[in-house]
């Protein structure tokens, strides 16, 4: 989770400073999490984070799409 938190805070801060952001979604990772007895896969966590960041007007793309 810490990895996703760091990515989240970094891209949001960069946007606040006026930088154009392209986040390479397969360039960061997370781990499985559990909350309230419910297990969430790393893939689910990753997809939710990417969807929420893209909704803040960042460009989120797979690395292979940028080559």
């Amino acid at each position: 989770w810490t990895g996703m938190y760091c990515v989240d805070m970094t891209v949001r801060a960069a946007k606040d400073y006026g930088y154009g952001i392209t986040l390479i979604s397969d360039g960061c990772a997370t781990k499985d999490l559990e909350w309230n007895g419910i297990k969430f896969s790393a893939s689910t966590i990753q997809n939710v984070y990417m969807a929420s960041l893209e909704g803040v007007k960042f460009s989120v793309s797979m690395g292979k799409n940028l080559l």
Side-chain angles (χ1 to χ4, degrees), residues 8-63:
D8 185 313
M9 297 307 295
T10 300
V11 296
R12 288 175 190 273
K15 184 177 186 300
D16 289 345
Y17 283 108
Y19 290 96
I21 307 298
T22 299
L23 177 58
I24 302 172
S25 62
D26 53 341
C28 50
T30 190
K31 64 178 187 171
D32 295 346
L33 296 176
E34 184 174 339
W35 181 76
N36 202 25
I38 302 169
K39 293 182 180 182
F40 300 94
S41 70
S43 176
T44 297
I45 302 299
Q46 176 87 351
N47 288 325
V48 167
Y49 258 97
M50 293 304 121
S52 68
L53 289 173
E54 189 170 48
V56 187
K57 302 197 179 179
F58 299 115
S59 174
V60 178
S61 182
M62 297 284 290

